[in-house]
């Protein structure tokens, strides 16, 4: 079961007016298709039809009710990976649709069933009332989608056979002045340049695909071959935070018990040293796995740059930032129709076969990126494990 949680979004307000319209439109369209395909309202109303059994309720009627309710739960929890990504997460939250995604529907309906289990008529009425609430939200979404289509609004998705990495950065962390943005972009560039050089890319600086300003949302074009590297980096950082949050939790508990300040400080220093050491190891592992640099001296320099960049990325994730990795996958090719007595075009058949192999590879790469993106939502911003360290600030020349 996929869960959609807004816990890591904090109090940041995300406004449609400031989102990138093309990306916003793409998510809205995907949401409309999701609700159309899952048919949640009709399935919940089918379960609510149990009041027709008031006079003659049997075991088969109860079984039918349970089956209808199960069908609703299954559909409400059948959420595509694309709608679990950080940017889609923000759109869903902004449109007030979070209650239509797991785990909320199951929790709300189970609460209704529990409260009305001895009164079929009351239960049916309560379920219909809940279905109406859901329907109102979905109708608003459908109307929004129609409006965007009617305006021929831009529609932005990742191009086929291309990849991108998006950084979604809270404005209160980055700042809003030009010097603050310049400093942030320099740090992002510092990390991206290290990855490009490490993997042997000819282009030193990645191209910015889109940028918008609800949160600072920066989507960079990256080579498909880099998706695995970015995914490893994100997942390793998330695991790093998970393991050290337990230590921070212990530190808070000790603080509540009036543990001496010097003991708490020692624990905090140990956490910082452990985090820095593990980030260093992550950079070493990534360099060993992905580097195409032959000169050992230069390789060591780029590894240092990568480590500094990962420290910046980890700090931002800990402050509430999110990362989104995606790959554009083409549609499956269609083989030409062959009339009776004719031979198929062997060249087209072979080209389509090769395209299907590539599409299968792209889907696997995309799945790796999407899972890593989803994991970036798991880092909370309530336990600052990384301190600002001037030694990890990229040089002005970066």
């Amino acid at each position: 079961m996929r869960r959609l949680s807004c816990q890591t979004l904090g109090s940041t307000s995300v406004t449609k007016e400031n989102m990138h319209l093309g990306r916003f439109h793409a998510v809205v369209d995907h949401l409309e298709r999701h609700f159309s395909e899952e048919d949640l309202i009709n399935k919940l109303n089918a379960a609510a039809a149990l009041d027709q059994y008031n006079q003659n309720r049997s075991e088969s009627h109860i079984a039918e009710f349970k089956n209808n309710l199960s069908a609703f739960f299954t559909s409400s929890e059948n959420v595509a990976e694309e709608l679990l990504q950080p940017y889609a997460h923000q759109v869903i939250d902004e449109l007030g649709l979070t209650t239509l995604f797991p785990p909320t529907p199951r929790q709300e309906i189970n609460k209704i069933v529990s409260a009305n289990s001895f009164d079929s008529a009351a239960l049916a009425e309560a379920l219909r009332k809940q279905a109406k609430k859901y329907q109102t939200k979905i109708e608003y979404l459908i109307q929004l989608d129609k409006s965007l289509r009617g305006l021929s609004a831009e529609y932005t998705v990742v191009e086929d056979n291309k990849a991108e990495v998006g950084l979604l950065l809270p404005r209160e962390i980055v700042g809003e002045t030009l010097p603050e943005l310049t400093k942030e972009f320099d740090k992002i560039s510092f990390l991206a340049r290290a990855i490009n050089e490490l993997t042997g890319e000819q282009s030193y600086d990645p191209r910015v695909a889109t940028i918008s300003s609800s949160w600072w949302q920066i989507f960079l074009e990256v080579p498909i071959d880099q998706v695995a590297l970015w995914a490893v980096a994100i997942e390793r950082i998330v695991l790093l935070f998970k393991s050290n949050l337990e230590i921070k939790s212990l530190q808070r508990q000790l603080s509540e018990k009036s543990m001496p300040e010097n003991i708490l400080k020692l624990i905090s220093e140990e956490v910082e040293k452990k985090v820095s050491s593990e980030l260093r190891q992550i950079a070493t592992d990534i360099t060993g796995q992905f580097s195409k640099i032959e000169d050992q001296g230069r390789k060591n320099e780029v590894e240092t740059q990568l480590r500094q960049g990962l420290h910046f990325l980890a700090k931002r994730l800990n402050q509430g930032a999110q990362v989104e990795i995606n790959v554009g996958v083409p549609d499956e090719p269609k083989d030409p129709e062959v009339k009776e007595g004719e031979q198929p075009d062997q060249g087209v058949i072979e080209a389509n076969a090769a395209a299907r192999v590539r599409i299968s590879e792209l889907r696997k790469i995309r799945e790796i990126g999407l899972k890593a993106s989803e994991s970036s939502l798991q880092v909370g911003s309530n336990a600052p494990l990384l301190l600002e360290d001037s030694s990890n600030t990229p040089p002005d020349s970066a």
Side-chain angles (χ1 to χ4, degrees), residues 152-190:
S152 299
E154 58 181 309
Y155 190 104
T156 304
V157 294
V158 187
E159 293 182 31
D160 292 346
N161 292 294
K162 291 191 175 181
E164 66 180 19
V165 172
L167 300 173
L168 288 72
L169 306 161
R171 293 172 71 104
E172 68 269 20
I173 299 301
V174 176
E176 300 189 356
T177 67
L178 192 56
E180 288 170 328
L181 281 176
T182 301
K183 182 179 178 181
E184 191 75 6
F185 290 164
D186 282 345
K187 290 182 178 180
I188 294 170
S189 178
F190 192 72

Side-chain angles (χ1 to χ4, degrees), residues 16 42 47 52 60 103 128 138-139 180 229 233-234 238 265 286 292 296 310 349 352 371:
K16 296 186 288 294
N42 284 334
Q52 64 183 303
S60 64
R128 289 195 183 99
I138 293 173
E139 286 177 349
E180 288 170 328
L229 188 158
I234 297 304
V238 170
K265 183 179 179 181
I286 288 176
K292 295 182 180 179
Q296 188 60 45
L310 291 177
I349 297 297
N352 284 354
K371 287 186 180 299

